[in-house]
Amino acid sequence: MQLRKHAPARALIASLLAAPQLASAFYLPGVAPTSYKQDDLVELHVNTIRPVGDAESVLRSVVSYDYYNPSFGFCKPEGGPKPVGESLGSILFGDRIMTSPFELHMKHNETCKVLCKEPVTYNPSRAFFVNMRIQEGNSLNWLVDGLPAGQKTVDVLSDTEFTNPGFLLGEVMEDGRTKFNNHYDIIIEYHEVTENAGDYRVVGVIVQPESRKYTGKIDENTCNSVSDIVELSETQDTTVQFTYSVYWIPSTTAWATRWDKYLHVYDPKIQWFSLINSAVIVVFLVLTVMSILVRALKKDIARYNRLDQINLDDLSGTSALEDGVQEDSGWKLVHGDVFRNPPNPLLLSIFLGNGTQLFVMAGFTIAFALLGFLSPANRGSLGTIVILLYTVLGFIGGYTSARMYKSLQGDKWKLNIILTPLLVPGIVFSVFFLLDLFLWAEQSSGAVPFGTMLVLVAIWFIISVPLSVAGSWLAFRAPAIEPPVRTNQIPRQIPPVTTYLKPIPNMLLVGLLPFGAIFVELYFIMTSIWFSRIYYMFGFLFLCYGLMIITCAAVTVLMVYFLLCAENYNWQWRAFLAAGASGGYIFLNAIIYWGTKLSLSGLAGSVLYLGYSALISFLFFILTGTIGYFASWLFVRKIYKSIKID
Ligand SMILES: *[C@@H]1O[C@H](CO)[C@@H](O)[C@H](O)[C@H]1NC(C)=O
């Protein structure tokens, strides 16, 4: 670990939190080392070509392309490229891994091997396409023995060297010319297995692309001295020869730690600082809120019970009783309405069911990640585990939805059973499908293949829906959860409320705090999604998730208390919407990010970016809304249980 050199203690905690240690301490399921003998063929696979952002770290596109997209003109292996088996998650997250014509042999150096037999001709329209992709900062992604080929990068902030996956397709030079890389220096680090001499393992892959305008025959001795660059002309045909050299270099890195140099923490100081910062704020906030609330409630309850006592003592007349009632103020007044069923119980219960499903799924996913199961060595494991968990947890979703619906005395129970597994996943799937159509139109490899779509639908309908229905069925057979106080026949009138308790300001205030708890981590997650950096700081994520849950619950409970004190008993939807408003903030944040960090050319890029952001924000809305609702629900039940009502 490079971090360890500097500050042992901090780095140790950092690495524990970041969990690459755990990941590399034992072999992960499905990831076993491959050993090669001298001169064994080591396969090089190619993955999608995707934009990684330019030197000022501004992203110009979010559309990725297949390596063998005909416009690029890259050489194919004999007999055509074949897809390499991938997991569902890896396909969903945009991997399209194929075989390649590169021939690498263990410990066998090569100089300037010619890649295609015939030079490739770029006509003006192809040249235009490729030049556009170069301007967008697209990079090639190769895998050698499952390890991404990268470029060595120095993080100027922490002065550490790390490997950034991918290398550039070409570059726009200072004089405005666009150079196209047609030569690759492939530098492979290998490690001899200590217990087994003569067995070698791949532990590092660096590719340095170059642009070389070859004239005449390519000669091993002179090819490295070509200084002219290749430019693809947009007015006439250009022919290009592709070449590569391979250098095998012995390394001391063991196979088990070969991923460490990819797992670079960008700005660890900022992350630490912000995490501690928000943790302190959250703890302070929650403690303050709780102490105020508990004290106020104790006072309230004592007063209510005293008033009851007076009322009971004074049996002689009704006047004192009326006095007592008049003195009664605050949340007790609405005891006969507080458990009145909210409007739209069907939608509320469906959201709550799906929210619970998301909540448990996120918890399990982060726990798996902390245990090191989702290390980047396990390609696509994050996507796969998310899909699997969501599917299986359909049971919990169905159960929660039906149980809540029954408790809210909803009568359309069939509709509840059917819509719980269909409504939210249906919205998500439809948006996903529409965005996929955009990608199809762009000929992007980011478009999920039709077969994968079918697999998703099959998993959804064959596993998730029946599980959800089973959960619902069980819940409808269980008794309804009875409210602790009876609801009056006639609803009370709700007095007008002060500004900050009006729905909109209320949502803006309450939603801000959970968003604040995850704001910094969100930045890193978004960077890793859109700039395709490896995200592995699951320790941070775990703490942030915890902080978010606590903030969300505390703030919503406080809001509900104020609302009830203002004699407004419509707390159910209000709690859900106010807490869920943090989803709105996430979307707002995405828009700001769009304005500052991205400069997307073309409509498709923007539509895709905004579409995916909206989708994530929507799921977040349901997740935080559910947390807020259940926190308030527990709170309301608890306080009304603790007072005597005659
Ligand atoms: C391959 O080339 C590199 C760099 O020139 C050199 O360090 C290495 O020893 C060579 N490897 C073999 C097996 O010849």
Side-chain angles (χ1 to χ4, degrees), residues 112-368:
C112 294
K113 266 192 105 172
V114 178
L115 199 53
C116 316
K117 287 197 193 79
E118 300 287 316
V120 183
T121 307
Y122 288 85
N123 62 23
S125 73
R126 254 174 150 189
F128 175 75
F129 175 86
V130 175
N131 285 341
M132 273 299 283
R133 302 290 86 79
I134 293 174
Q135 278 157 31
E136 285 170 359
N138 278 279
S139 77
L140 305 189
N141 292 281
W142 293 353
L143 297 162
V144 176
D145 188 47
L147 209 56
Q151 278 185 307
K152 277 220 165 78
T153 317
V154 175
D155 184 350
V156 277
L157 275 177
S158 56
D159 194 28
T160 46
E161 200 183 57
F162 65 101
T163 308
N164 212 7
F167 55 91
L168 288 176
L169 171 68
E171 243 175 301
V172 180
M173 306 208 301
E174 273 160 17
D175 56 8
R177 294 191 297 166
T178 308
K179 73 172 182 191
F180 175 57
N181 293 328
N182 64 326
H183 172 85
Y184 314 103
D185 275 335
I186 306 171
I187 300 148
I188 304 187
E189 293 174 343
Y190 65 91
H191 180 77
E192 188 165 8
V193 184
T194 355
E195 316 85 73
N196 217 348
D199 272 0
Y200 304 99
R201 286 172 182 168
V202 176
V203 294
V205 184
I206 304 286
V207 174
Q208 282 159 359
E210 271 176 46
S211 186
R212 292 178 181 178
K213 190 169 183 176
Y214 295 116
T215 46
K217 207 178 166 306
I218 294 168
D219 189 297
E220 279 196 17
N221 304 316
T222 56
C223 73
N224 284 340
S225 54
V226 177
S227 60
D228 224 7
I229 59 156
V230 177
E231 276 182 279
L232 300 181
S233 162
E234 292 178 17
T235 51
Q236 63 193 59
D237 286 3
T238 318
T239 54
V240 179
Q241 279 277 19
F242 287 94
T243 54
Y244 66 97
S245 303
V246 189
Y247 304 102
W248 295 86
I249 293 173
S251 161
T252 50
T253 312
W255 188 88
T257 55
R258 65 178 190 162
W259 278 91
D260 285 3
K261 47 190 172 301
Y262 292 89
L263 307 180
H264 176 72
V265 185
Y266 285 91
D267 308 338
K269 276 205 199 100
I270 295 182
Q271 298 221 31
W272 272 110
F273 182 71
S274 69
L275 184 76
I276 291 169
N277 218 0
S278 47
V280 169
I281 292 175
V282 166
V283 169
F284 181 72
L285 186 102
V286 170
L287 285 182
T288 320
V289 166
M290 287 302 136
S291 67
I292 293 175
L293 209 56
V294 166
R295 212 180 295 170
L297 279 173
K298 266 199 186 131
K299 235 161 125 192
D300 288 346
I301 292 169
R303 186 162 54 91
Y304 289 153
N305 290 342
R306 206 171 53 236
L307 285 172
D308 283 343
Q309 207 55 44
I310 295 168
N311 294 345
L312 283 180
D313 290 348
D314 192 6
L315 291 168
S316 57
T318 49
S319 61
L321 201 78
E322 269 162 19
D323 277 357
V325 170
Q326 246 158 33
E327 262 188 70
D328 242 0
S329 68
W331 50 270
K332 191 188 175 183
L333 281 181
V334 291
H335 68 81
D337 296 277
V338 73
F339 291 103
R340 191 174 294 289
N341 295 323
N344 274 321
L346 183 66
L347 191 62
L348 184 62
S349 60
I350 290 172
F351 277 174
L352 290 175
N354 279 280
T356 314
Q357 199 174 338
L358 283 175
F359 178 76
V360 181
M361 182 199 80
F364 270 121
T365 307
I366 296 174
F368 276 134

Side-chain angles (χ1 to χ4, degrees), residues 38 106-110 190 246-250:
Q38 166 104 37
M106 179 54 83
K107 282 188 74 186
H108 187 96
N109 281 358
E110 307 254 22
Y190 65 91
V246 189
Y247 304 102
W248 295 86
I249 293 173

Side-chain angles (χ1 to χ4, degrees), residues 62-134:
V62 292
V63 179
S64 55
Y65 293 89
D66 214 35
Y67 184 83
Y68 292 114
N69 186 316
S71 302
F72 285 114
F74 288 132
C75 309
K76 293 178 182 167
E78 255 173 70
K82 291 183 187 57
V84 174
E86 292 170 71
S87 64
L88 185 62
S90 134
I91 295 177
L92 283 180
F93 274 47
D95 282 345
R96 301 289 178 277
I97 304 175
M98 306 274 225
T99 53
S100 77
F102 294 89
E103 285 174 8
L104 316 182
H105 294 278
M106 179 54 83
K107 282 188 74 186
H108 187 96
N109 281 358
E110 307 254 22
T111 315
C112 294
K113 266 192 105 172
V114 178
L115 199 53
C116 316
K117 287 197 193 79
E118 300 287 316
V120 183
T121 307
Y122 288 85
N123 62 23
S125 73
R126 254 174 150 189
F128 175 75
F129 175 86
V130 175
N131 285 341
M132 273 299 283
R133 302 290 86 79
I134 293 174

Side-chain angles (χ1 to χ4, degrees), residues 511-558:
L512 186 61
L513 288 160
F515 169 73
I518 56 164
F519 169 67
V520 174
E521 208 51 35
L522 197 65
Y523 172 80
F524 288 99
I525 294 175
M526 282 173 59
T527 312
S528 83
I529 293 177
W530 299 110
F531 286 78
S532 358
R533 286 178 185 166
I534 297 171
Y535 183 89
Y536 75 104
M537 291 161 289
F538 294 108
F540 282 112
L541 191 63
F542 175 72
L543 293 179
C544 281
Y545 191 54
L547 287 181
M548 186 201 77
I549 296 170
I550 297 172
T551 333
C552 202
V555 185
T556 319
V557 162
L558 189 67

